[in-house]
Amino acid sequence: MSPKRTCFSEKKKKKKKEDENGAAENEKAMWEGLNPEILALIFTRIPAEQRIGVLSLVCKSWSQCLCGPYCWADIDIEQWCRKTNRTVFKIDSAVCKLVRRTKGTVRRLSAFKLGDRGFAFIANCGRFLKVLKIPMSEVTDNMVEKHAVSLANMTVLDISYCLKITCKGLEAFGKNCKALVHLRRNMPPPELVPTYNVKPDVSEALTIADTMPGLQHLELGYGRFTDVGLEAIFAKCKALTHLDIQGCWSVKLLDGHLEDRCLQLQEFKSPWHDDFDNGASSENDSDDADSDEESSSDLD
């Protein structure tokens, strides 16, 4: 190869390297120029498995963002918890790890099969918590009574299928969480949990009525209460607009006045409501309602 061609080749390689370095610098400048809130939105798209693991700090902006409150305000690992039937210990450990990163700024948390240890840690760091969804968890009445006082700002609570939470736990939530406007307390159909007591019992409905008068959305699927419990809820929960009592077979709506109250609500699902064809849309509507309630509470 002639000296002239060799010189040209070297110049071409040098130019290519300079272009690559310039592109890298431009990309770095682009990331560093982004608002931390935008970086946080990008971060929330990362799968839960990676967020729970070790995070690589690719640049100074990412490092500052991950150390700030933006990335950890909303923790949703429910689907991660459901995968491969993870143990309560692993779920509690993951929740504690993520909540610790929030430095007390977590506002929404969604997990599955949470235990007492995880719940206690959330409560101790959750003075700004607005939304707590922990369906099918192992949390007990004793732990709720001990730590519910720390969740005074909570507006949305999902304790569906939490069989270890009884009237005592509900009363603790009601007395300490005065901002609560949305409660999900759906229970499993009897055929799925043979040991679940299906005898009529109005105690939970009466507890909700006595301690949660500010409720607007209430879901009590497959509850054991009767017309007496439903009447108490209507008498005390004056702000109620959405009520779901699917599968509550002990509710008969024998009193015409009681049925009229139900039909006057913005949304009512009776014990005999068939939601099979509208499952997806109902879930979306419910999630939208959570967001609307959190937004309205922020304005307050």
Side-chain angles (χ1 to χ4, degrees):
M1 183 180 293
S2 66
K4 188 174 181 180
R5 286 189 175 182
T6 301
C7 183
F8 178 78
S9 178
E10 289 177 354
K11 287 182 178 180
K12 190 175 181 180
K13 289 179 179 178
K14 184 177 180 181
K15 181 69 166 60
K16 183 179 180 181
K17 188 174 182 179
E18 288 176 351
D19 291 343
E20 290 176 350
N21 290 337
E25 288 296 325
N26 289 336
E27 184 176 354
K28 182 179 179 181
M30 179 190 70
W31 285 111
E32 291 184 347
L34 285 178
N35 185 292
E37 293 185 19
I38 296 177
L39 288 174
L41 288 174
I42 297 172
F43 176 78
T44 57
R45 300 290 183 178
I46 298 174
E49 290 86 347
Q50 296 180 27
R51 280 184 281 163
I52 291 171
V54 178
L55 299 171
S56 299
L57 305 179
V58 296
C59 67
K60 185 177 180 180
S61 294
W62 271 112
S63 177
Q64 292 176 343
C65 181
L66 294 177
C67 291
Y70 301 104
C71 288
W72 309 105
D74 189 344
I75 298 175
D76 185 353
I77 59 169
E78 183 171 343
Q79 292 305 316
W80 177 86
C81 295
R82 291 176 183 269
K83 285 184 179 179
T84 64
N85 195 27
R86 288 183 167 87
T87 64
V88 172
F89 177 80
K90 286 185 176 181
I91 291 170
D92 281 353
S93 298
V95 167
C96 291
K97 182 178 183 179
L98 292 174
V99 172
R100 191 178 295 112
R101 290 175 179 170
T102 72
K103 299 178 180 178
T105 62
V106 61
R107 298 172 65 84
R108 297 170 60 95
L109 190 142
S110 179
F112 179 77
K113 283 192 175 181
L114 189 73
D116 277 344
R117 180 169 69 98
F119 178 82
F121 197 86
I122 292 169
N124 289 329
C125 302
R127 64 183 183 278
F128 296 116
L129 192 68
K130 297 284 187 179
V131 178
L132 179 62
K133 299 179 181 180
I134 50 171
M136 206 171 284
S137 289
E138 299 293 321
V139 180
T140 60
D141 283 338
N142 182 54
M143 198 58 57
V144 174
E145 290 176 318
K146 187 176 180 180
H147 294 286
V149 66
S150 301
L151 301 172
N153 293 316
M154 188 167 60
T155 61
V156 179
L157 174 65
D158 185 353
I159 49 172
S160 296
Y161 318 116
C162 295
L163 302 183
K164 293 184 179 181
I165 295 178
T166 68
C167 290
K168 292 181 179 180
L170 282 171
E171 183 178 6
F173 278 125
K175 288 184 175 180
N176 292 285
C177 308
K178 296 300 184 181
L180 199 64
V181 295
H182 189 157
L183 174 66
R184 290 178 183 166
R185 176 59 173 169
N186 299 308
M187 300 304 281
E191 59 269 20
L192 296 183
V193 185
T195 57
Y196 178 57
N197 188 356
V198 296
K199 293 182 179 180
D201 184 358
V202 300
S203 56
E204 284 201 3
L206 296 179
T207 300
I208 291 171
D210 290 337
T211 63
M212 305 179 186
L215 286 178
Q216 298 173 18
H217 294 243
L218 179 58
E219 299 178 33
L220 295 172
Y222 291 95
R224 296 188 289 145
F225 57 95
T226 63
D227 286 9
V228 173
L230 186 58
E231 287 175 352
I233 290 172
F234 275 122
K236 301 288 183 66
C237 302
K238 301 293 187 179
L240 196 65
T241 59
H242 294 67
L243 178 63
D244 183 349
I245 55 173
Q246 295 181 77
C248 298
W249 308 126
S250 296
V251 174
K252 306 300 183 182
L253 297 179
L254 298 177
D255 186 340
H257 176 67
L258 184 59
E259 185 174 10
D260 290 341
R261 291 288 303 276
C262 292
L263 297 176
Q264 289 171 8
L265 297 172
Q266 291 182 21
E267 182 178 346
F268 171 64
K269 294 181 180 179
S270 74
W272 314 279
H273 183 88
D274 185 3
D275 205 28
F276 180 78
D277 294 329
N278 301 315
S281 61
S282 296
E283 183 64 27
N284 291 335
D285 292 344
S286 186
D287 289 342
D288 292 341
D290 291 350
S291 300
D292 293 343
E293 285 157 10
E294 185 186 3
S295 299
S296 63
S297 62
D298 290 344
L299 292 176
D300 295 341

